[in-house]
Amino acid sequence: MTSKAPTQAQQGITKNLSGSNAAFKDKGKPMELRLSNMVAAKAISDAVRTSLGPRGMDKMLVDLSAAQDVEAGDGTTSVVVLAGSFLGAAEKMLQKGIHPTIIAEAFLKASAKAVEYLTEMSTPVDLNDKGALLRAASTSLNSKACSQNFLSAVTRLVTPTSSNVDLRDIRIVRKVGGTIEDTELIDGVVLNQNVVVSAGGPTRIEKAKIAIIQFQLSAPKPDMDNTVVINDYRQMDKVIKEGRQYILNLCKRIKKANCNVLLIQKSILRDAVDDISLNFLKRLNILVVKDVERDEIDFLSKSLGCKPIADIEAFTEDKLGYADLVEETSESGVKVVKITGIKNRGRTVSVLAMGANNLVVEECERSLHDALCVVRCLVKKRALIGGGGAPEIHVSRLLSQYAQTLKGMEAYCIQAYAEALEVIPTTLAENAGLNPIAIVTELRNRHALGERNAGINVRKGLISNILEEDVVQPLLVSTSAVELATETVCLLLKIDDYVQSR
């Protein structure tokens, strides 16, 4: 009976390598921990892969895609898929004994090069070129369902010197009713609330003078802990009479300032308006909208050119906003309050999003938000780049060539990073029902022949010049996805252990 000779490892003998080619021997736990982190992150990436491209399912957000959403507003699926692919490449490097720090540094270097190559192949865009902006945003909307009535929303807010657009200046008001085609850009302001008509007040005011008030038009009440008990009916009568007189004085002060439209902030302590005040306001021909939320006040005051009034003593005409018309109209069976012809209007935009049910309206709002983000990206970084996997294959080729000029483990890591970039065209081909190996091979061949804008045409199921097909996206979406995915992978690589906290 023969027995095998014990291996060097079983005998406790380790082979010592020297120099830059020495394999990195990690302690058991950090290596195990890194691999478990990678497995978890790759699982999320694989789950999200099916939602990339116009034939994909909808989004599933994680922290990484949330960061991409804040930065670029689109490419949230791509950034997670890229991170998963980079993690796969990093895992192979770790298993070959390369130190995590060397991998992280090489990946960051490759990321900087990738951004440089993407910028080189991008096409500068003029913000006055509405066609280019529309093409960019329509690509973003391909994997969503919404009408594309949004472009002037951003271009209204942009000046030639703008470096960003604050999307808080674009308000999307959701109303259930009609169809998604009824979504429109309002030339003025549209309100979430309806006009109060319970006392028979007006629903249309021309030459409107608008006030936003933050105090209540109702009788004062004691604190919640206190109770006033009145036994004498004459005193009771006097209390009611005093209350009516108090409210009447408030309404007269409002009318004295020539105000005829009143927007009242929602109140927690007591009723913002009661039946008595509504009756007085109706007699004074003042249109009333109540329950304006606190977070709407800034937008409305900026849009209408008026100042919020916190106290009746401060109610003066100089704090009012002016508009040609305030009217409550019925559109597709839904009541909507519109303020048009605003004088001294701020740089804000209102969009009325409509749909048959809440799900459709929410999807419409999200699609509009993504399209607005695309145009905002072009304001931040004024360049367009092709889609369809063309930039990724182009960058992958150039990084592979760059890796061959380097030496040692860094070259090996950058080569792996370059190969990992091919996950985007591979996934696009898979989700379009094409043969990913044949498509990506053909794509590589086209790019090697100098067709750097060759990409996957998902609609026709073949490779074509992606710029001619108008499949374009902002440069910021691609550069941001590469940078954020790389930073996330480097962060995971540098985690050695967990410390539990309660």
Side-chain angles (χ1 to χ4, degrees):
M1 188 174 175
T2 59
S3 62
K4 289 182 181 178
T7 63
Q8 284 186 333
Q10 286 169 335
Q11 292 174 334
I13 302 168
T14 56
K15 190 177 178 184
N16 290 320
L17 297 174
S18 60
S20 61
N21 293 320
F24 166 62
K25 294 289 180 188
D26 207 344
K27 297 189 187 90
K29 190 172 179 184
M31 187 64 169
E32 186 184 308
L33 197 118
R34 284 192 187 98
L35 292 177
S36 72
N37 277 346
M38 287 177 176
V39 168
K42 280 164 68 186
I44 292 172
S45 171
D46 289 341
V48 177
R49 267 184 75 171
T50 51
S51 65
L52 182 71
R55 301 273 174 92
M57 298 184 301
D58 224 328
K59 287 182 168 57
M60 165 185 163
L61 293 176
V62 291
D63 284 345
L64 174 58
S65 65
Q68 172 75 359
D69 196 45
V70 168
E71 176 63 24
D74 198 30
T76 48
T77 315
S78 305
V79 73
V80 178
V81 173
L82 274 174
S85 186
F86 292 156
L87 283 169
E91 188 178 357
K92 287 174 188 171
M93 299 296 103
L94 281 173
Q95 286 169 350
K96 291 187 189 309
I98 300 175
H99 194 284
T101 305
I102 294 174
I103 301 169
E105 284 173 0
F107 275 21
L108 285 171
K109 192 172 182 179
S111 164
K113 276 284 179 189
V115 170
E116 189 184 305
Y117 297 145
L118 286 168
T119 308
E120 274 174 22
M121 74 176 295
S122 64
T123 312
V125 69
D126 180 9
L127 290 181
N128 295 321
D129 181 1
K130 299 285 172 72
L133 297 182
L134 195 59
R135 287 200 306 275
S138 63
T139 305
S140 163
L141 287 174
N142 273 342
S143 59
K144 302 162 185 83
C146 184
S147 61
Q148 296 177 20
N149 180 15
F150 66 90
L151 188 59
S152 50
V154 170
T155 51
R156 273 186 199 177
L157 303 179
V158 173
T159 61
T161 56
S162 297
S163 60
N164 199 356
V165 174
D166 189 349
L167 290 184
R168 287 173 297 187
D169 290 338
I170 301 171
R171 190 167 74 144
I172 300 172
V173 174
R174 300 185 297 181
K175 295 281 182 181
V176 176
T179 66
I180 207 164
E181 303 303 324
D182 295 324
T183 297
E184 63 174 321
L185 183 69
I186 305 296
D187 187 22
V189 174
V190 62
L191 301 180
N192 281 309
Q193 299 77 13
N194 293 330
V195 173
V196 180
V197 292
S198 56
T203 58
R204 176 189 169 94
I205 295 284
E206 292 182 7
K207 295 181 181 174
K209 295 182 179 179
I210 307 160
I212 300 174
I213 64 168
Q214 296 176 300
F215 56 88
Q216 294 82 29
L217 293 179
S218 57
K221 288 185 179 177
D223 293 337
M224 292 176 185
D225 297 338
N226 299 326
T227 309
V228 177
V229 180
I230 302 171
N231 295 320
D232 188 344
Y233 73 90
R234 285 171 299 182
Q235 291 293 331
M236 185 71 193
D237 201 33
K238 189 178 178 184
V239 167
I240 294 168
K241 196 173 177 181
E242 287 283 342
R244 286 174 65 86
Q245 189 59 44
Y246 172 80
I247 293 168
L248 180 60
N249 289 339
L250 289 179
C251 295
K252 280 181 176 176
R253 288 286 295 271
I254 290 167
K255 188 64 180 177
K256 189 179 176 184
N258 294 320
C259 168
N260 54 13
V261 174
L262 209 53
L263 307 181
I264 306 173
Q265 184 178 313
K266 194 172 188 177
S267 172
I268 302 168
L269 298 176
R270 64 178 200 257
D271 297 334
V273 282
D274 59 17
D275 292 340
I276 299 168
S277 56
L278 285 173
N279 189 37
F280 288 144
L281 291 168
K282 181 200 81 169
R283 290 183 191 177
L284 296 167
N285 198 37
I286 295 174
L287 182 146
V288 181
V289 176
K290 66 173 185 175
D291 293 343
V292 176
E293 296 289 347
R294 185 185 291 270
D295 54 7
E296 293 179 279
I297 297 292
D298 281 347
F299 177 86
L300 289 174
S301 55
K302 186 176 180 179
S303 304
L304 301 171
C306 59
K307 296 175 183 173
I309 303 165
D311 185 60
I312 191 65
E313 298 300 326
F315 202 110
T316 51
E317 197 167 352
D318 62 307
K319 292 188 173 66
L320 305 184
Y322 299 89
D324 291 339
L325 180 66
V326 177
E327 184 181 22
E328 183 176 69
T329 58
S330 184
E331 297 190 12
S332 306
V334 182
K335 287 183 176 178
V336 178
V337 180
K338 292 180 183 175
I339 304 171
T340 52
I342 301 165
K343 295 184 180 72
N344 306 320
R345 182 176 164 192
R347 296 183 80 87
T348 61
V349 174
S350 291
V351 178
L352 178 61
M354 299 184 75
N357 55 45
N358 276 319
L359 282 173
V360 175
V361 176
E362 283 169 15
E363 177 64 13
C364 175
E365 183 186 18
R366 193 178 65 75
S367 300
L368 280 169
H369 175 263
D370 279 4
L372 293 169
C373 285
V374 168
V375 185
R376 184 189 65 175
C377 282
L378 291 175
V379 176
K380 282 183 172 181
K381 197 175 268 193
R382 301 183 183 191
L384 280 171
I385 200 166
E392 286 80 12
I393 287 285
H394 177 71
V395 171
S396 177
R397 277 189 68 254
L398 292 179
L399 276 177
S400 294
Q401 291 169 10
Y402 173 65
Q404 287 167 12
T405 66
L406 301 172
K407 293 179 181 177
M409 294 189 183
E410 187 181 49
Y412 204 71
C413 293
I414 289 177
Q415 179 60 42
Y417 185 95
E419 288 167 8
L421 280 169
E422 291 182 359
V423 72
I424 297 290
T426 304
T427 306
L428 278 174
E430 280 175 5
N431 287 355
L434 307 171
N435 182 336
I437 296 170
I439 287 285
V440 173
T441 306
E442 174 65 15
L443 204 52
R444 279 201 207 113
N445 185 35
R446 291 280 195 91
H447 278 258
L449 294 171
E451 296 179 37
R452 69 177 191 177
N453 290 318
I456 301 168
N457 187 330
V458 172
R459 295 188 190 90
K460 295 179 183 173
L462 46 83
I463 289 167
S464 60
N465 186 323
I466 220 72
L467 293 184
E468 289 173 6
E469 298 289 335
D470 278 347
V471 179
V472 288
Q473 65 187 23
L475 173 63
L476 184 66
V477 172
S478 296
T479 56
S480 169
V482 168
E483 286 172 336
L484 286 170
T486 309
E487 283 169 14
T488 304
V489 172
C490 294
L491 176 75
L492 284 171
L493 280 169
K494 290 179 179 179
I495 296 173
D496 286 325
D497 206 350
Y498 292 128
V499 177
Q500 288 190 344
S501 62
R502 292 183 181 177

